[in-house]
Amino acid sequence: KEFAEKIFEPYTQEATRNFVTENGSGLGMAICKNIVDLQGGQISVSSDIGVGTKFVVDIPYNTCLGENQKENDDDLDYNALDGKRIMVVDDVLINTVITKKLLEKHGVVVDCAQNGKQAVELFESKNDYYYDCILMDIQMPIMDGFEAAEEIRSKEKRYASLIPIVAMTADAFISNSANADRSNFNEYIIKPIAPNELYGKLIRLFNERG
């Protein structure tokens, strides 16, 4: 019970009865608390030897959409996505899988790249106007999203300057990237991706271009 007061501090571990600590860095609970704090919530713990431990996480969230938002979602013309070819560029596999499945749900043909360099190479390997859009993560190894978008725009392909490129990023990161050229992007989507934001922005881009 005495250790419960320190359990959320970084690099702290409780010793066993033989004064041997368990394997680990002592960061797990500190990370959990940081995640909860970032969402405006609270985490607490209660524990009894021989009985067990209970963690309680309390995070305030709206659990339903407002009426206006529901109407906007219902107005989306998903037919505008059917048959479109989109390149998804992200170095995190689970992000790629989720985005791919969201797009394929409405008939989109999806190709994937793991970093900016692969994205540039994939774009160059296709004919003009092959892709209808590129969804580009910003933070990636080898070549980041800013560099990749600039490379693509500089290509001699006729469509290089016209293809819609949508940045996928955390709001704080794109806002703090004052030295990066954001003019190469037509739009951006905040991660983690909300399906209706993804669909809505893509549909609007496609409709604007006819």
Side-chain angles (χ1 to χ4, degrees):
K1 289 186 177 181
E2 292 77 10
F3 181 73
E5 298 177 2
K6 301 180 180 180
I7 194 170
F8 298 113
E9 296 177 6
Y11 303 108
T12 57
Q13 288 182 284
E14 174 66 303
T16 64
R17 293 181 181 179
N18 297 322
F19 301 99
V20 177
T21 57
E22 299 294 332
N23 291 331
S25 63
L27 281 173
M29 295 313 305
I31 291 171
C32 288
K33 186 176 188 304
N34 283 338
I35 292 173
V36 173
D37 287 347
L38 285 170
Q39 297 173 86
Q42 295 181 328
I43 183 171
S44 61
V45 58
S46 59
S47 183
D48 290 302
I49 295 176
V51 177
T53 301
K54 179 171 71 172
F55 290 90
V56 177
V57 176
D58 182 11
I59 301 176
Y61 272 111
N62 292 326
T63 56
C64 62
L65 295 172
E67 290 302 317
N68 291 337
Q69 185 64 48
K70 288 181 181 178
E71 292 175 6
N72 290 337
D73 295 344
D74 292 339
D75 289 341
L76 293 177
D77 179 16
Y78 295 107
N79 291 325
L81 301 174
D82 190 27
K84 291 292 190 291
R85 289 190 289 260
I86 295 178
M87 185 198 305
V88 175
V89 190
D90 200 312
D91 63 309
V92 180
L93 179 60
I94 186 63
N95 292 342
T96 304
V97 170
I98 291 173
T99 307
K100 187 173 185 288
K101 287 188 177 296
L102 287 173
L103 294 172
E104 289 178 338
K105 179 180 179 182
H106 293 289
V108 176
V109 178
V110 180
D111 287 340
C112 300
Q114 294 180 333
N115 55 63
K117 184 174 182 293
Q118 285 188 8
V120 174
E121 292 172 350
L122 190 56
F123 179 77
E124 284 189 294
S125 71
K126 303 297 184 182
N127 296 328
D128 260 346
Y129 300 94
Y130 179 85
Y131 289 113
D132 296 288
C133 181
I134 298 175
L135 294 177
M136 182 80 72
D137 185 30
I138 294 299
Q139 282 187 295
M140 293 182 292
I142 303 178
M143 181 185 288
D144 68 26
F146 289 115
E147 295 169 320
E150 185 174 2
E151 273 292 309
I152 289 172
R153 295 297 189 204
S154 68
K155 297 303 176 185
E156 294 182 0
K157 285 175 172 287
R158 288 172 296 172
Y159 195 41
S161 62
L162 301 176
I163 183 170
I165 304 179
V166 178
M168 298 188 297
T169 181
D171 188 31
F173 183 80
I174 199 168
S175 298
N176 292 333
S177 303
N179 297 324
D181 187 0
R182 282 168 278 180
S183 66
N184 290 317
F185 296 99
N186 300 79
E187 186 58 89
Y188 72 93
I189 295 173
I190 302 301
K191 297 171 70 174
I193 290 176
N196 285 323
E197 181 185 12
L198 172 66
Y199 298 143
K201 290 190 174 181
L202 288 176
I203 289 169
R204 188 174 71 252
L205 278 173
F206 295 148
N207 287 340
E208 287 174 353
R209 291 172 177 268

